[in-house]
């Protein structure tokens, strides 16, 4: 059983930064591939993912601006978001799958002046 809790969303001006945090319960965190998705206007997009070995990949729309990282000692995955744009506005979700799919509750990110 894995529980995921996101935090760190909010309102930020274009060009600003936010860091999202996803805290996971359970003892298997270091084995998990962790993913950040976002959903806006009914469309879901994979933003970034990090494997258990630390390999990462990103959506083209966020490459060079977002950085995913993990701290296995803290059972936490992060999404550092820089140079934010209005089109980054969405609810951001943490996701993983093990015995089944797990989602967090989501955190709202709004980029607006």
């Amino acid at each position: 059983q894995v529980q995921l809790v996101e935090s760190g969303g909010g309102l930020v001006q274009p060009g600003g930064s936010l860091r999202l945090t996803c805290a996971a319960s359970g003892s298997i965190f270091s084995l998990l591939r962790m993913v950040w998705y976002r959903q806006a206007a009914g469309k879901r997009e994979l933003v970034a993912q990090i494997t258990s070995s630390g390999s990462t990949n990103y959506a083209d729309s966020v490459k060079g601006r977002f950085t995913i990282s993990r701290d296995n000692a803290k059972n936490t995955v992060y999404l550092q978001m820089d140079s934010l744009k209005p089109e980054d506005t969405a609810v951001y979700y943490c996701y993983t799958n093990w015995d089944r799919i797990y989602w967090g509750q989501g955190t709202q990110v709004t980029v607006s002046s």
Side-chain angles (χ1 to χ4, degrees):
Q1 184 79 8
V2 177
Q3 290 185 323
L4 304 173
V5 179
E6 301 99 333
S7 61
L11 173 64
V12 63
Q13 292 187 343
S17 297
L18 283 174
R19 188 176 80 158
L20 305 184
T21 298
C22 173
S25 65
S27 59
I28 59 169
F29 178 79
S30 64
L31 304 178
L32 300 176
R33 177 179 67 102
M34 300 299 299
V35 185
W36 284 100
Y37 279 92
R38 65 186 180 187
Q39 183 152 359
K43 178 183 174 184
R44 182 184 294 167
E45 177 185 27
L46 190 154
V47 176
Q49 61 181 323
I50 185 166
T51 68
S52 58
S53 63
S55 297
T56 60
N57 60 18
Y58 299 90
D60 287 343
S61 58
V62 307
K63 277 181 183 175
R65 301 188 297 121
F66 290 12
T67 304
I68 189 171
S69 61
R70 66 190 300 156
D71 185 338
N72 290 337
K74 295 182 178 180
N75 277 17
T76 300
V77 61
Y78 304 97
L79 185 69
Q80 177 66 42
M81 305 186 295
D82 298 318
S83 302
L84 282 161
K85 304 175 181 180
E87 52 263 42
D88 295 317
T89 296
V91 180
Y92 285 71
Y93 295 91
C94 190
Y95 163 101
T96 192
N97 61 331
W98 183 250
D99 53 331
R100 65 173 180 87
I101 291 171
Y102 296 92
W103 291 95
Q105 84 286 356
T107 186
Q108 176 71 46
V109 172
T110 302
V111 184
S112 175
S113 55

